[in-house]
C-alpha cells in the first residue's frame, strides 16, 4: 500500500538517494493500492528523473493500472 501513511517516508528516501541515478525502476508486483499521496510522490520523482535519466514502473496489477488510466498517469510514466 502506498498511501498518506507511508508516502512521506518513500518521498524522503527517494530525495536522499536519487541524486545522480540515471535509471529508476519501481517494481509494483506487491502493490495493491495507491492513493493520491502515492501518486504525488511518483509525479515529483518523475520530474526529477526526466532531468537526469528515466523512470520505469513494472508489474502493475489491474487495479493500479486503472488508477493510472483514470488519473492520466498512464500517459506520463513509462509502464512495463
Amino acid at each position: 500500500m502506498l498511501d498518506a501513511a507511508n508516502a512521506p517516508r518513500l518521498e524522503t528516501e527517494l530525495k536522499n538517494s536519487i541524486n545522480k541515478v540515471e535509471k529508476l525502476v519501481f517494481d509494483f508486483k506487491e502493490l495493491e493500492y495507491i492513493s493520491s499521496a502515492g501518486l504525488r510522490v511518483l509525479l515529483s520523482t518523475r520530474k526529477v528523473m526526466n532531468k537526469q535519466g528515466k523512470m520505469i514502473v513494472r508489474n502493475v496489477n489491474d487495479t493500479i493500472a486503472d488508477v493510472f488510466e483514470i488519473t492520466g498517469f498512464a500517459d506520463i510514466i513509462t509502464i512495463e
Side-chain angles (χ1 to χ4, degrees), residues 6-21:
N6 55 29
R9 190 174 102 197
L10 176 60
E11 184 174 35
T12 299
E13 190 65 37
L14 286 166
K15 283 182 180 178
N16 292 333
S17 61
I18 202 170
N19 191 27
K20 297 185 182 180
V21 170

Side-chain angles (χ1 to χ4, degrees), residues 8-62:
R9 190 174 102 197
L10 176 60
E11 184 174 35
T12 299
E13 190 65 37
L14 286 166
K15 283 182 180 178
N16 292 333
S17 61
I18 202 170
N19 191 27
K20 297 185 182 180
V21 170
E22 294 179 6
K23 183 178 181 183
L24 178 64
V25 179
F26 288 98
D27 187 341
F28 282 178
K29 183 178 180 181
E30 303 285 328
L31 187 66
E32 297 177 8
Y33 174 79
I34 188 166
S35 72
S36 59
L39 292 173
R40 185 182 57 75
V41 171
L42 288 181
L43 184 59
S44 64
T45 303
R46 179 193 154 271
K47 287 179 182 177
V48 171
M49 290 308 299
N50 279 349
K51 295 175 185 172
Q52 65 189 43
K54 78 190 227 182
M55 182 177 105
I56 299 168
V57 177
R58 291 187 177 148
N59 299 316
V60 175
N61 68 29
D62 291 340

